[in-house]
Amino acid sequence: MSSKKPVREITITVDGREIDAEEGAMLVDAAKHGDVEIPVFCYEPKLGAPVGACRMCLVEVEGIPKLQTACSTPVRDGMVIYTQTDQVKEAQNAIVEFLLVNHPLDCPVCDKGGECPLQDISMGWGVGKSRFTDPKRHFEKPVPLSPLIGIDRERCIMCYRCVRFSQEVAEDEQLQLLERGQASYVGTFDERPYIAPFHGNITELCPVGALTSYTYRFRARPWDIEQAGSVCTLCPSQCNVRFTVRDEEVKRVLARDNPEVDDGWLCDRGRYGFEMLSGDARIKGPILRAGGNSTDAAWPHAIERAAGALERGGERTAAIIGDASNEEGYLVQRILREALGSPHIDSRRAGGPRRADLVALSNPAISAKVTDIDHADAILVIGTDPLHDSPILDLRIRKAVRRTGARLAVATERPSGLDGGAVASARYAPGAAATFLADLCSALADRDGPGEGPAAEVAGVLRGAKDVVVVWGERIGRGASGDEAIDGLLALAEGLGLSGREESGLLEIPDVTNARGLREVGCLPDAGPGLVATSAGYPTEQIRRALEDGELKTILLFGVDVDRDFSDPAAWHRALGEADDVIAFSLLGTESTTQADVVFPLESHAEKDGTVTHPEGRLQRVRPSAKRPGEVRPAWQVLTEIAAALGHETGISSAPEALAAVSEAVPFYAGASDSSIGGRGIRWQELAGSAGVLPRDTQREARMLDGTTGSGEGRASRVPGEGTGDAGTSLLLGTYRDLWAGPITEQNSALRFLTPQQRVEIAPQDAERLSLSQGDHVKVRSNSNAVDARVLIRERMQPGACFLIEGTVEGNANGLLNGGGEVVEITKVETSAPPGVGQ
């Protein structure tokens, strides 16, 4: 298998008009190049190979006696096609008439009315009247297909789009076509609810009003809404979206096709996570706290109070940034470094790669694009489960395996949703990515044979592949052996020969949405804008300890929640209590904001004007689509006013000026502007001259000369009892962030039923050893805290390790984390009390 095949340009003739097209393209797509529209219902390129089910696209092809389906007929040079003959019109009229035999003509009340392809095609290709007078069929309206979607079965035209999505794209295979003939209908086995991370896409795919979302049903009509394009910032996927806005509030979120980013799909978190934007939990204006009481404040007073606190803190001020645009992150670090003289700034939850390693990882020669996955011969996913960390990449990887035969290898701490399609699947102990990568590099270098063990199996998948994409998670750079893991990752890229190879390279899945952008604009303790080396400041964990010790006096929290985002939340609350001043920028009210002396509201991704940087380096524009609630103001504006109050004029008075300042400060962003970014974004690697302005990674060069880079000496986290067969009741703790854990699920009523309860995942061997059964109520105890959970026994788990969910409402695993490498005890609780937090 090879990567992209060369495209041959051919000429076809449609209705007497010559059209240039790509050889092998489907006729329905090729005709569009000549402004010839051929009607379709079942055809949707995103779903894969066409099925020609609806027959709406019948056309005449010269030399073929029977009509052909344009959606499934590839074009060839010299082909002559007719779309307007009497035979074609008669066939198209008949199909429309057939579809309308039992279709209810309830357009005035149907949610699809006004934006319905069946309406458009009936008007353009129908006969205008029906010969049928028999009563139409009627069914229950609507039948709940899931807690979020209802199906009006009498409207369904059996195009199979929704079923094909379930079976061929999401691969959950829950939707089926049941019964036969006129009794056929779309449903699930045994009428079980269709619950899956991507199932909201079927409402967009449906070409009629059969599938509707309960969150939008009867909420608006096409003539009283506006559509606004932007970017979803609820996870690192950064999918392109269209907000349906009515009365200046978001009522619906639709996909905005950008094949280079999201393939036109959305996860349900991004699709249904909009209700919180106007919810009661939103902070809608500045808040001041004094004497234990919180009061609403006017903007000038709040800005003056915040500036005074920062001025008092001076060099003993720190900032931690989470959910922020490039412009916001740049301004925060500028205030810290230039106005206050403090280097203590970080945008990472729990440490990560050093500046020198980030420079090496940013090298365009070893960087992969999202679309490279589509053409890869082999894909390695290491240290991440894309389904939870970047859902749309999960669909992309599945597509590559299914459509192009890419060979997939998965190496993770816990079982991944991609294991089923993987040629090789490897497990390593929590925190042991460095050792696994060292073993993998050794196995690749061993030319005598494939060897044995998990690393050798993965090496067998990668060895000899022409195009290789390595999708890796930021988590591998954490902990005591995090630096060695990054060295191993770079050594792997060298061993695979990825440098300079097209359609190959490394692609990171970070912890937070704009992690790459925040690093590149200077939100790191050892790097300023453009990843230029600076005087070293404290990273996140050291900031906490410095606050507790009194070394730091003031802290600015921008878009972070210490309970959900950081290890050891109790210690963080103690640290905030010791600080002289706490300034918080937050979208929603949290425990963190209750401890803040000054609280500023943040805009949501539907209200913000700014840029974010995709993990592949693509700058994308977040555009304001809905009205800001209450007195919410742009955060970049608030930060410039705080800077001015500190005597540091930024010269920024508009969002475009903020972007210009970022482009000027980051050399490889030079040339980035509203016009160059456009609606689909632009990778900074493609900007003129960008590749040559990365700073030299002199620290890494020094380590290479010392022979300490990629040495294979990764310090592994050892599984308790490993090699002895006896671990007592101790297990090595690993954690992960579930897609549905966090305020996005809790603050949106449509998603609340998906809120996960804490569960501890263990291997069958450990369950047997500890006399535990599925669903048992247990207490998981570390040396500092304990949480209650339910037992979940999983195959393919590595014995000796267990996993808990970070950021849950109750039983938050973050409370057990205090530095990495935690060993926990699991004991059965005999009572039937619900899982919660315990001591």
Side-chain angles (χ1 to χ4, degrees), residues 370-447:
V370 170
T371 52
D372 290 340
I373 295 173
D374 298 341
H375 312 291
D377 293 289
I379 303 169
L380 170 62
V381 176
I382 181 166
T384 182
D385 184 350
L387 180 62
H388 294 287
D389 298 334
S390 184
I392 295 304
L393 276 187
D394 179 90
L395 295 186
R396 199 105 194 191
I397 294 168
R398 291 176 185 273
K399 183 181 79 169
V401 172
R402 182 179 62 255
R403 294 193 192 177
T404 63
R407 290 166 56 82
L408 174 64
V410 177
T412 52
E413 298 175 342
R414 57 184 289 273
S416 162
L418 292 171
D419 285 352
V423 177
S425 183
R427 297 283 91 82
Y428 54 82
T435 297
F436 178 83
L437 282 164
D439 293 343
L440 179 57
C441 290
S442 298
L444 283 169
D446 185 3
R447 299 300 178 183

Side-chain angles (χ1 to χ4, degrees), residues 535-546:
S535 57
Y538 291 153
T540 299
E541 283 300 307
Q542 284 185 261
I543 287 174
R544 175 181 63 78
R545 290 192 287 269

Side-chain angles (χ1 to χ4, degrees), residues 23 92 117 137 201 276 308 350 356 374 411 429-431 451 480 483 526 655 665 722 731 763 814:
E23 186 177 36
Q92 292 173 337
R137 292 185 300 176
N201 289 286
M276 67 178 182
D374 298 341
D483 291 343
D526 57 350
E722 186 177 32
L731 294 171
N814 300 50

Side-chain angles (χ1 to χ4, degrees), residues 654-665:
S654 67
E657 288 180 355
L659 173 57
V662 171
S663 299
E664 183 179 355

